[in-house]
Amino acid sequence: MTKLTKLSKLGRRKFIAGGATALAAATGLVSLSAKATETKARIVIVGGGAAGISIANRLNRALKNASITLVERKETHFYWPGLTMVATGAWNKSKVLDNNRSFIPSNINWVKEMAAEIDPDAKRVTTDAGRKIDYDYLVVANGVEYHYDAIEGMDIDAIGQNGLASVYQSPDAAAKSWDVIKAYSQQGGEGIFTLPSTPIRCAGAPLKMALLTLDRMKQNGGFERANTHFHSATNGLFGIAFHNQFLMDEFAKNNMAVNLRSELTAVDITARKATFQQADGNSVTQDYDLLHVVPPMRAPAVVRNSNLAWTEGNMAAGGWLAVDKDTLQHLTYPEVFGCGDVNGTPRGKTAATVKMSVPVVVANLLAVIDGKDPSVTFDGYTSCPLLTRFGAAMLIEFDYNGNLTPTFPMIDPKKESWMAWIMKDQMLKPAYQQMLRGRV
């Protein structure tokens, strides 16, 4: 085990507790980049989300005289882990909005355009404005694409109308979703929650939305007048057996019917009807008063349409980035690394995964720049603060193999706790901001 791997395990414990400054000092992660390496390397980072900005900050401190370019149009930074809080009325939308300029170093070449083409053979990125950027090393960190178009009749502009909700699309959509969820929690009726068959960002979010809506219904009087349904296009609800059964039991206790291998394929927004394809190939249409849509997800087109995407295996359909799951180095192009949701790895499209994999990517990229082989490995760590009701959550941490990896002896990952809720509600965002700055 390398020194960085050991530090990362300690860093995980401090990070979740929200002690971002304490973590930086305790683990020595800041000092890892203190000895700047002299290089003229041209490094391009595609994507300015959590992974891209964190890596830019770390590389900026670790390298001297390198040319570091960040390709990202968005100037507003979204704190994606907070959208479930917005969509269930716990947070105001403003709490999940920041300015990217607050986190991007001034000496980074920030190209406010989007990558339209990546040619890894020519080592070139072309933007949607036609700008061509050559690189020696490339980090792909541009997240996921929400494939709402895969659902016939779906219109993202209609979120917040006619009982249509969706936490994923944007902070605006999350806030509009709360409008219809609040009304449903008071009035009751037919409620439907969905989970697609594709890998998705924060796989716990659809479950949190269902659980917190049930709690809102109890608070606001609509619970006794409601019939609720959860349609999962997979064989279950959660990838860890214990928690899958917990959720099945919890939904049963709250009279929520669970339909497995049932995928949302169409919606009639005006008529409030949702159509699901069943395992036997038949379709079923249900009326609804509330429909929470979780779209299928895939890698952004710039990755899907390049030679960087998986071409075989279960990650090929989504065009996910073909990286080694341990080193996060591309399987064909050694000068390319991937970080965050775009990676075609077995698990982990969460902010916690980004937090723990960013140092791995940076350390291995620095090794390659120095003419060495990557030596730091990632165990697939991810974390899901599963919000079971307002004031309670289960802190579920696990690795690629589905092994639980709890970091707090006082928090049982198999039990609901107030402390896990407090971490989600109050502590994780400040630590996340420190992560963006490359400090933890």
Side-chain angles (χ1 to χ4, degrees):
M1 182 184 295
T2 68
K3 179 181 178 182
L4 181 56
T5 303
K6 292 177 181 177
L7 291 174
S8 295
K9 289 183 179 296
L10 176 59
R12 182 175 74 218
R13 182 175 295 112
K14 294 289 187 178
F15 173 75
I16 298 173
T21 303
L23 179 141
T27 63
L29 287 177
V30 174
S31 66
L32 288 175
S33 59
K35 298 179 181 179
T37 299
E38 181 81 29
T39 179
K40 296 291 187 181
R42 299 169 300 174
I43 303 169
V44 173
I45 302 168
V46 172
I53 292 178
S54 300
I55 288 171
N57 272 294
R58 284 177 176 266
L59 290 176
N60 187 54
R61 286 194 293 273
L63 297 173
K64 184 179 180 181
N65 294 325
S67 170
I68 303 174
T69 299
L70 179 68
V71 182
E72 173 59 66
R73 175 184 292 116
K74 287 192 305 184
E75 296 190 47
T76 302
H77 189 88
F78 297 166
Y79 176 59
W80 290 108
L83 294 194
T84 51
M85 304 293 275
V86 174
T88 55
W91 286 6
N92 185 278
K93 179 183 71 173
S94 62
K95 194 167 181 177
V96 299
L97 302 177
D98 277 304
N99 192 318
N100 270 337
R101 175 50 72 193
S102 300
F103 304 103
I104 298 174
S106 59
N107 58 330
I108 294 288
N109 179 28
W110 181 10
V111 176
K112 296 180 183 179
E113 299 163 15
M114 298 302 288
E117 181 183 355
I118 300 175
D119 184 345
D121 294 303
K123 297 184 179 181
R124 177 174 297 157
V125 173
T126 302
T127 72
D128 55 1
R131 186 194 307 258
K132 298 186 183 300
I133 308 171
D134 294 328
Y135 64 82
D136 300 306
Y137 304 94
L138 175 70
V139 178
V140 182
N142 54 344
V144 302
E145 179 180 292
Y146 300 133
H147 194 196
Y148 282 101
D149 289 345
I151 303 167
E152 182 182 350
M154 180 60 191
D155 179 4
I156 59 174
D157 292 331
I159 294 171
Q161 305 170 32
N162 289 309
L164 186 66
S166 184
V167 70
Y168 279 98
Q169 201 272 329
S170 68
D172 283 340
K176 292 175 182 177
S177 294
W178 168 234
D179 292 338
V180 295
I181 289 172
K182 181 180 180 181
Y184 178 74
S185 72
Q186 297 167 342
Q187 301 162 8
E190 297 292 325
I192 300 175
F193 298 83
T194 68
L195 178 68
S197 57
T198 65
I200 62 172
R201 166 181 279 163
C202 187
L207 303 163
K208 299 173 195 179
M209 291 300 300
L211 291 165
L212 293 181
T213 298
L214 287 170
D215 202 30
R216 283 297 190 201
M217 291 161 61
K218 294 174 184 177
Q219 296 171 9
N220 296 339
F223 184 78
E224 298 298 332
R225 297 190 296 275
N227 293 311
T228 53
H229 310 262
F230 196 100
H231 286 262
S232 170
T234 71
N235 290 320
L237 299 174
F238 201 85
I240 307 298
F242 174 88
H243 297 92
N244 183 70
Q245 189 59 53
F246 167 84
L247 288 160
M248 294 292 287
D249 294 343
E250 195 69 15
F251 285 164
K253 285 191 296 185
N254 286 278
N255 301 318
M256 178 175 280
V258 175
N259 305 272
L260 301 180
R261 299 184 67 189
S262 179
E263 183 145 29
L264 179 66
T265 56
V267 58
D268 185 330
I269 297 170
T270 302
R272 298 195 183 194
K273 293 181 181 293
T275 300
F276 298 86
Q277 184 171 346
Q278 309 297 289
D280 59 9
N282 293 321
S283 292
V284 174
T285 299
Q286 286 186 253
D287 295 330
Y288 67 83
D289 296 289
L290 173 69
L291 173 66
H292 182 255
V293 175
V294 179
M297 299 182 197
R298 57 188 182 180
V302 67
V303 174
R304 290 199 319 273
N305 299 331
S306 74
N307 291 335
L308 296 175
W310 282 103
T311 57
E312 57 184 21
N314 61 354
M315 290 291 168
W320 303 102
L321 190 70
V323 296
D324 180 275
K325 69 181 181 64
D326 300 318
T327 65
L328 306 181
Q329 183 182 40
H330 196 271
L331 294 173
T332 304
Y333 301 93
E335 67 280 358
V336 177
F337 286 82
C339 194
D341 297 346
V342 71
N343 279 350
T345 50
R347 295 183 190 265
K349 296 188 185 300
T350 69
T353 302
V354 169
K355 156 65 181 78
M356 298 308 296
S357 58
V358 161
V360 174
V361 170
V362 170
N364 286 336
L365 175 55
L366 293 177
V368 171
I369 291 173
D370 199 33
K372 302 173 183 176
D373 292 329
S375 60
V376 181
T377 59
F378 180 53
D379 66 1
Y381 172 82
T382 191
S383 172
C384 175
L386 183 64
L387 310 178
T388 54
R389 54 191 167 86
F390 289 93
M394 301 175 83
L395 183 59
I396 311 170
E397 303 165 272
F398 50 96
D399 62 16
Y400 277 140
N401 297 319
N403 299 314
L404 291 176
T405 56
T407 54
F408 292 97
M410 76 290 288
I411 298 180
D412 188 336
K414 295 184 177 181
K415 293 182 180 179
E416 297 173 84
S417 77
W418 173 79
M419 179 56 71
W421 170 271
I422 290 299
M423 288 181 181
K424 171 68 176 180
D425 186 36
Q426 300 181 23
M427 299 179 179
L428 291 185
K429 188 188 174 187
Y432 173 93
Q433 292 174 320
Q434 287 294 85
M435 176 189 76
L436 290 180
R437 296 185 174 95
R439 295 296 181 184
V440 298

